[in-house]
Amino acid sequence: MSIVVTGATGHLGRLVVESLLDRGVDPAEVVATGRSVERLADLGERGVRVERLDFDDVPQDVPWLAAGDVVLLVSGSEVGRRVDQHAAVIGLAQRAGAARIVYTSAPAADDTALVLAPEHAATERVIRESGVPFTFLRNGWYTENYLPTFEQAAATGVVAGSAGDGRIASAPRADYAEAAAVVLAEPGHENAVYELSGDVAWSFDELAEAFAAALGREVAYQRLTSEQHRDVLLGAGLDEGTAGFVVALDQNAAEGLLAVTTGDLARLVGRPTVPMPQTVSSWSR
Ligand SMILES: NC(=O)c1ccc[n+]([C@@H]2O[C@H](COP(=O)([O-])OP(=O)(O)OC[C@H]3O[C@@H](n4cnc5c(N)ncnc54)[C@H](OP(=O)(O)O)[C@@H]3O)[C@@H](O)[C@H]2O)c1
């Protein structure tokens, strides 16, 4: 049985491959796929099978995906095009007789107002309809999403946003990757849906505090209205669509949609998740 990882050129996919190897999975049983296989050459040198897979050009069948294999479908990054792209990979896995598709989804994907949920909910439906057993990893927020905010705070002393008193139950990508490696390598996760998050939901005041500690300077959280936030983002050069998306996500955070903590992530990895301040402290220079 092989474990096929899509998006292995990305941050999360690479961490999953590393985590599988750390857990003692035979590199010869891991297939790392991506659009730019040259970026996976180092994994190839470690014995991992490296194969090209472009979601926009998925073949009818491939020699490296066979009956009984498990496929990790890391959700793509081309927002608005992902359902068709994901469906192409799901079709490939279905035709090959894959034993299971593990999909990185979004919190409460089928029952949330989260702006980015509809593509994930649609993908979950395609997987269910394929008849291939599945595991849904409904990943909460990555702490690393706030790395650009940290850079801004380093320059300005301000964390500006319109999330109000909303809280974020984030965890670092490596924690989500470890959970993915666990469900890929272990039996017993058939048709399971995990709501993954950090153990602690933090506020933006606490984020500013963590930044201040890491930077050794004062950092304050500036509460903006959605209108003010949008204007700041447009002023910083974002286009209308991206600015609207960022403001909508902050609105979702204000509504508490990213604050839910279920303990699923800690249970899967068998330890507490890495707290936000610890990840932030690793960014200090
Ligand atoms: N939970 C969160 O906080 C959060 C935040 C951001 C994103 N996400 C989601 O989680 C996913 C993984 O996160 P990440 O940080 O690892 O993102 P990332 O570094 O941008 O990786 C995305 C991966 O998807 C691949 N991909 C995109 N379009 C593709 C296509 N047409 N064919 C084949 N591969 C394609 C990329 O390939 P290339 O290297 O060739 O571009 C890359 O390997 C993202 O794609 C997104 O869906 C979640």
Side-chain angles (χ1 to χ4, degrees):
M1 179 207 89
S2 291
I3 297 173
V4 176
V5 177
T6 75
T9 51
H11 294 93
L12 185 72
R14 171 166 284 267
L15 287 168
V16 173
V17 173
E18 298 282 357
S19 191
L20 286 168
L21 301 181
D22 287 349
R23 297 180 66 77
V25 174
D26 181 351
E29 290 181 355
V30 178
V31 186
T33 74
R35 290 188 278 203
S36 316
V37 282
E38 59 283 0
R39 282 163 47 208
L40 301 172
D42 61 309
L43 292 174
E45 282 161 18
R46 291 160 68 188
V48 171
R49 184 164 179 170
V50 169
E51 296 290 348
R52 186 172 185 283
L53 179 64
D54 183 339
F55 298 166
D56 288 323
D57 186 22
V58 175
Q60 274 301 301
D61 59 84
V62 288
W64 42 265
L65 175 54
D69 289 351
V70 177
V71 177
L72 172 66
L73 174 55
V74 173
S75 52
S77 45
E78 296 170 335
V79 174
R81 303 192 50 226
R82 295 186 290 184
V83 182
D84 288 347
Q85 292 178 332
H86 295 163
V89 179
I90 294 160
L92 178 69
Q94 183 189 31
R95 290 189 295 278
R100 190 158 47 105
I101 297 172
V102 178
Y103 174 63
T104 62
S105 188
D110 58 354
D111 185 23
T112 177
L114 199 58
V115 281
L116 47 71
E119 285 184 299
H120 292 292
T123 301
E124 288 189 0
R125 278 196 299 276
V126 176
I127 293 172
R128 284 181 189 274
E129 286 162 11
S130 76
V132 179
F134 60 83
T135 310
F136 294 153
L137 299 174
R138 291 180 168 171
N139 287 349
W141 244 213
Y142 305 152
T143 305
E144 289 87 346
N145 293 345
Y146 296 94
L147 191 48
T149 318
F150 178 78
E151 298 295 344
Q152 268 168 9
T156 64
V158 171
V159 170
S162 51
D165 291 325
R167 302 180 86 87
I168 309 280
S170 74
R173 278 194 194 90
D175 282 359
Y176 295 103
E178 198 176 324
V182 167
V183 305
L184 287 164
E186 274 184 2
H189 302 281
E190 273 77 13
N191 301 339
V193 179
Y194 296 110
E195 298 283 345
L196 304 183
S197 70
D199 295 337
V200 176
W202 45 262
S203 70
F204 281 83
D205 285 315
E206 287 162 350
L207 184 71
E209 265 173 47
F211 285 0
L215 291 165
R217 66 162 294 173
E218 282 188 17
V219 178
Y221 172 41
Q222 185 184 3
R223 287 169 168 74
L224 303 177
T225 64
S226 293
E227 276 294 292
Q228 289 168 331
H229 194 190
R230 190 177 150 278
D231 290 345
V232 166
L233 295 170
L234 291 176
L238 266 64
D239 61 68
E240 286 272 357
T242 309
F245 190 68
V246 172
V247 171
L249 279 175
D250 263 24
Q251 183 60 43
N252 287 162
E255 291 159 358
L257 301 183
L258 296 169
V260 178
T261 55
T262 63
D264 279 359
L265 180 49
R267 271 190 293 278
L268 281 178
V269 299
R271 59 167 172 79
T273 62
V274 174
M276 174 276 288
Q278 189 175 325
T279 302
V280 166
S281 70
S282 73
W283 301 338
S284 58
R285 10 117 185 228

